[in-house]
Amino acid sequence: MFNVTLENGTELDKKNTVYALVFGSVLALGLPLNAVSLWILLRCHSLKTPSAVFMVNLAISDLLLVISLPMRVYFYATGTWPLGDLACICITMFFRNNIRSSSIFITFISVDRLLAVVYPLRSRHLRTACNALKAAGLAWLFVFVVNVPESVGFARFLKGINESICFEFGPRPLPTSPLVYLQPVLVFSLLAVNIVSTALVSWTLRRRLNDSTRVRNKVNIMLLFAMNLMMFTVFFLPVSLFVLFKSWRPALTSLICLASVNCCLDPLLYYFSFDGFWKGKEDVDSSAARE
């Protein structure tokens, strides 16, 4: 068991207590919310529509993050890390994978909504469950392939410091490689896709503003896009930009805490807020396709 050496002990002890409380709260909320969401999606929607496929994968991504949080809570509550380097690497990769996979699947959801609203007829052959499953498979393959060189580099870094402290590196420089720029580039690129999708859908819905029977559905669709943009700008972008600004280094743990909250909001914003989530035969796709 390895103790963490802290500067300004009292102040950092207070910070670590706050971090433990935040991660513990995310664990307490995120686990049941995502587990219930996944159960409902599989029971009612059965991966029969693209949106169901992407939401199921988003829930899985969030659950993978949630199951890694107990050891973060333990670390910040006790100041010790008893599990060694391998567990540290795995838990770190779970967090990075959540940011990447969640941003990818949220973008898939945005593009799916874009096609359903703007090109409802021409996109039918593209918007199939089979194609969605292939896209999800490629996304997970990309995420895990990137993990291989990252894990090797991180393992070498941990061996180089000769102590297992996992999430806190004190005054030592963080591991660097060209791969550290992958996440900000990925998040920036996907954010641009979401912005363009939001603009196109908003323009299309404004053209149909007189269709009063669909006003509520239009509000729901735009709310979905607004929440997508919020997820990127509030939760994904700050922690991804960390590698570009050395002055942000003291705030790294705070940014990780903030980013982890996304797994609690995904079920609320994307699942429980929309009527189609609760209806096994009336998926959100059918509403959007009729627009």
Side-chain angles (χ1 to χ4, degrees):
M1 185 172 294
F2 302 86
N3 292 326
V4 181
T5 301
L6 301 176
E7 301 175 358
N8 300 323
T10 302
E11 180 182 350
L12 288 182
D13 281 343
K14 290 180 180 179
K15 288 184 178 180
N16 286 350
T17 300
V18 172
Y19 297 149
L21 289 174
V22 172
F23 286 126
S25 299
V26 172
L27 173 64
L29 290 174
L31 182 59
L33 286 175
N34 284 285
V36 170
S37 298
L38 185 60
W39 178 78
I40 292 174
L41 284 166
L42 292 174
R43 182 176 181 272
C44 298
H45 300 266
S46 304
L47 300 180
K48 293 180 179 179
T49 63
S51 58
V53 171
F54 297 139
M55 286 184 177
V56 163
N57 281 275
L58 184 58
I60 292 173
S61 173
D62 290 337
L63 282 172
L64 289 176
L65 172 64
V66 168
I67 63 175
S68 73
L69 293 182
M71 289 313 303
R72 283 188 183 268
V73 174
Y74 178 86
F75 174 81
Y76 287 109
T78 66
T80 61
W81 181 253
L83 299 182
D85 291 351
L86 181 60
C88 176
I89 293 169
C90 290
I91 292 175
T92 301
M93 290 305 115
F94 276 140
F95 172 77
R96 295 183 183 181
N97 288 348
N98 174 258
I99 298 296
R100 294 162 187 170
S101 58
S102 292
S103 62
I104 291 172
F105 291 125
I106 287 173
T107 302
F108 282 166
I109 292 171
S110 290
V111 172
D112 178 63
R113 296 294 90 213
L114 167 69
L115 294 175
V117 173
V118 181
Y119 309 106
L121 298 179
R122 283 184 286 175
S123 65
R124 282 185 176 178
H125 69 287
L126 295 174
R127 296 181 59 250
T128 64
C130 180
N131 286 339
L133 286 169
K134 292 177 182 178
L138 288 174
W140 284 116
L141 179 63
F142 165 76
V143 167
F144 288 120
V145 165
V146 171
N147 280 172
V148 176
E150 278 190 331
S151 299
V152 172
F154 193 42
R156 290 174 180 171
F157 171 78
L158 290 176
K159 288 182 180 179
I161 63 177
N162 295 320
E163 57 178 322
S164 182
I165 55 177
C166 198
F167 307 119
E168 297 290 340
F169 300 106
R172 305 170 186 82
L174 292 172
T176 58
S177 76
L179 277 175
V180 300
Y181 300 105
L182 171 66
Q183 185 160 311
V185 170
L186 176 68
V187 172
F188 262 120
S189 301
L190 296 180
L191 175 59
V193 173
N194 278 270
I195 292 173
V196 172
S197 299
T198 303
L200 289 174
V201 170
S202 177
W203 177 74
T204 301
L205 293 180
R206 273 201 297 266
R207 291 171 55 196
R208 306 176 189 178
L209 193 59
N210 293 330
D211 185 2
S212 59
T213 60
R214 297 293 179 191
V215 169
R216 184 185 178 193
N217 195 36
K218 291 175 181 178
V219 171
N220 284 349
I221 291 173
M222 290 313 302
L223 177 62
L224 173 66
F225 281 94
M227 295 304 107
N228 286 346
L229 293 178
M230 184 198 73
M231 284 291 183
F232 274 87
T233 56
V234 175
F235 300 110
F236 300 154
L237 200 55
V239 74
S240 300
L241 292 178
F242 161 77
V243 298
L244 304 178
F245 302 99
K246 292 183 179 180
S247 61
W248 290 18
R249 180 174 174 180
L252 176 59
T253 306
S254 299
L255 293 177
I256 291 175
C257 283
L258 177 64
S260 68
V261 175
N262 86 87
C263 71
C264 295
L265 296 182
D266 281 343
L268 296 175
L269 300 178
Y270 300 135
Y271 311 153
F272 300 127
S273 296
F274 300 97
D275 294 339
F277 177 71
W278 299 103
K279 300 175 183 179
K281 295 183 180 181
E282 299 179 20
D283 187 74
V284 180
D285 290 291
S286 62
S287 299
R290 287 196 297 270
E291 287 288 328

